[in-house]
Amino acid sequence: KAGRRPLLQFAGASMCLSHLGMSYHHLALEHGLQTSPVWVLACLIVYVIGFTIGMGPIPWIVLAEIFPVEVLGPASIIAIASSWTSSFVVCCAFRTLPKALGWDCTYMLLACVCFGLFIFVTAVVPET
């Protein structure tokens, strides 16, 4: 039985590695090197597995555990609105970031965010 913290750490690490792999792919293409389409598919699969195991379901479970019952309703509304707003911002940014930074740097930035997630989970999220 795996706890919430190891699952979130796995999610952060696997998503980070996936983004690093995609960054490598685009960097290789910029320098005239070929990478296999299987590489891109593997990166996508690793990302989906990490997200599905950790970052998809577990934040919603933790949300119900960290707030007292008296404030659970309003706190949940704020947390859910923040989550959807963040998703919207990421979707909008993903359309413009590659034009400004290039695909390799865009994926590197996303890898840094996922690494930050791993550090945050390790430092702050209690094991339950």
Side-chain angles (χ1 to χ4, degrees):
K1 176 180 163 181
R4 289 165 179 71
R5 188 156 115 199
L7 291 174
L8 287 172
Q9 288 171 322
F10 172 78
S14 61
M15 290 165 46
C16 179
L17 289 175
S18 173
H19 287 310
L20 288 174
M22 289 300 292
S23 180
Y24 167 76
H25 167 74
H26 287 286
L27 191 61
L29 289 179
E30 285 180 14
H31 289 86
L33 303 172
Q34 285 292 343
T35 58
S36 171
V38 175
W39 177 263
V40 175
L41 182 62
C43 290
L44 178 63
I45 290 170
V46 167
Y47 182 88
V48 169
I49 288 171
F51 183 84
T52 303
I53 288 175
M55 288 308 298
I58 294 180
W60 303 109
I61 296 168
V62 172
L63 177 67
E65 293 176 347
I66 62 172
F67 293 115
V69 176
E70 300 81 33
V71 297
L72 184 59
S76 295
I77 291 170
I78 293 169
I80 292 167
S82 299
S83 175
W84 281 102
T85 302
S86 299
S87 295
F88 176 75
V89 169
V90 168
C91 290
C92 290
F94 199 75
R95 293 177 50 131
T96 58
L97 275 177
K99 293 175 188 167
L101 301 176
W103 283 105
D104 57 331
C105 290
T106 298
Y107 281 111
M108 188 63 68
L109 176 65
L110 293 171
C112 290
V113 170
C114 290
F115 182 71
L117 163 71
F118 179 84
I119 297 298
F120 176 79
V121 167
T122 301
V124 176
V125 175
E127 180 54 72
T128 55

